Amino acid sequence: MLGDSLSEGVGDRVDGAWRGWAALLADGLAADGAETALLNLAVSGALSGDVAGDQARRALAFRPHLASVVVGVNDTLRHTFDIALLARRLDRVCADLDALGAVLLTACLPDPGRMLGLPPPLARPLARRQRSVNAVVHALSARYGAVHLHLDDRAWTDDRSLWSADRLHLGERGHRAVAAGFHRLLADRGLAHGAPPAPEPDRPPPTRAESLLWLATAGTGWVLRRSRDLLPQLLLLAGAELRHRTDGTGTGPLDVRADDALAAALAATADGRRDPGAPAHRTGTNRTAVPGTAWAAAPRSDSRTTPTTG
């Protein structure tokens, strides 16, 4: 698993540790009695640069048959957001894993402004960024034949039962839904041979006190971190939104600027421009690999490989 808190399993705690959709999916990949090795490299707060760096190196050394690459929301929450750089990084990761013969798992994600219910001047810049990230993910998914799950549909964001109290991380039910969605897509390709994960939680839901504690710890910490990083720039972006609306030009110019940046980013990856020193890649190799031995999605803790049975 390569990615951030979504793949780490934040929101689905079992026996004092995060479990998450990756472990639930791994249980249903292999036929009864067969073993699947899961290496979860995902870490809360990870950016595309973290995935393209240490996570990718460790995943490539693991030589997985399946590899999930789900990242990007945290990039949209940084003042340094650069869609061209994100596209190059993800292209490099996908290309290198594809060259090993790994089947890629990807997902597009809802924008955090909608999840948090921010007012339009604050929400629109984040939505614009997340749409760009999702467009890059869609393009790379098509290029490398990835198993792609759509998680930006309104059905996901409107169903409160899928989410933790902070509205940023999935709860157990949400992680089960993600695992079931990937299982269905993998089974359609003949790559999942066990039973799909059960849709209903096997743990009691968090109590109100536990939810409040979660908000006071994880939620407050998130707000403080973002306040130092994103908030000043987000206020500037919101100011630009309001200026364009009050002078009669609307948000069209801002949309065009974002679209132009996205088009340039996609064109650059299509032309094969890569980060300096990145290894050359080839695609389409070993597409018949069958899960049951190894897969990586992205960091949960120190190099932990967990054998699971399906």
Side-chain angles (χ1 to χ4, degrees):
M1 305 291 297
L2 299 101
D4 52 30
S5 58
L6 172 65
S7 297
E8 184 185 17
V10 172
D12 179 27
R13 187 178 292 279
V14 176
D15 297 330
W18 300 125
R19 175 180 56 181
W21 67 266
L24 292 165
L25 175 60
D27 287 340
L29 289 178
D32 289 344
E35 189 174 88
T36 299
L38 168 65
L39 175 64
N40 194 337
L41 300 169
V43 169
S44 181
L47 304 168
S48 59
D50 300 309
V51 169
D54 183 60
Q55 290 189 27
R57 286 191 294 271
R58 295 165 69 185
L60 291 168
F62 189 59
R63 303 188 67 83
H65 291 106
L66 297 178
S68 79
V69 181
V70 182
V71 70
V73 169
N74 289 312
D75 288 78
T76 70
L77 299 173
R78 297 299 194 274
H79 74 280
T80 54
F81 177 74
D82 183 337
I83 191 60
L85 181 58
L86 179 141
R88 291 197 301 271
R89 287 167 171 169
L90 293 188
D91 184 37
R92 186 181 72 199
V93 172
C94 291
D96 290 344
L97 288 167
D98 178 80
L100 287 180
V103 176
L104 296 171
L105 278 64
T106 62
C108 54
L109 301 170
D111 74 82
R114 191 172 78 211
M115 294 299 300
L116 292 170
L118 296 179
L122 295 174
R124 274 193 295 266
L126 294 181
R128 201 176 285 118
R129 290 180 172 190
Q130 190 60 49
R131 282 197 300 270
S132 295
V133 172
N134 285 344
V136 167
V137 172
H138 283 138
L140 296 180
S141 297
R143 181 177 304 167
Y144 297 106
V147 175
H148 181 74
L149 188 62
H150 293 275
L151 299 180
D152 62 338
D153 295 338
R154 293 300 298 236
W156 279 93
T157 55
D158 291 345
D159 188 349
R160 296 294 297 270
S161 71
L162 299 177
W163 298 90
S164 296
D166 65 0
R167 293 287 289 161
L168 286 171
H169 298 93
L170 291 170
E172 180 184 352
R173 188 184 298 275
H175 281 284
R176 287 184 174 276
V178 171
F182 273 126
H183 187 279
R184 180 178 65 256
L185 296 173
L186 288 166
D188 289 344
R189 294 196 187 189
L191 296 173
H193 307 280
E200 294 302 319
D202 57 11
R203 309 278 175 179
T207 65
R208 181 174 178 79
E210 290 170 336
S211 295
L212 291 174
L213 179 61
W214 168 264
L215 287 173
T217 54
T220 301
W222 183 89
V223 169
L224 291 174
R225 288 190 297 272
R226 294 293 74 74
S227 295
R228 292 192 300 269
D229 184 10
L230 174 70
L231 187 56
Q233 194 207 26
L234 187 57
L235 292 175
L236 291 175
L237 294 173
E241 296 277 338
L242 293 172
R243 283 195 303 274
H244 278 281
R245 292 183 69 85
T246 56
D247 67 13
T249 59
T251 58
L254 298 174
D255 295 333
V256 169
R257 189 182 307 164
D259 290 343
D260 288 345
L262 171 62
L266 292 175
T269 61
D271 290 342
R273 291 195 287 271
R274 310 274 303 288
D275 286 345
H281 71 268
R282 51 192 172 85
T283 62
T285 59
N286 192 24
R287 278 297 185 192
T288 58
V290 176
T293 52
W295 79 295
R300 175 177 299 182
S301 63
D302 295 338
S303 298
R304 187 169 69 198
T305 303
T306 305
T308 63
T309 57

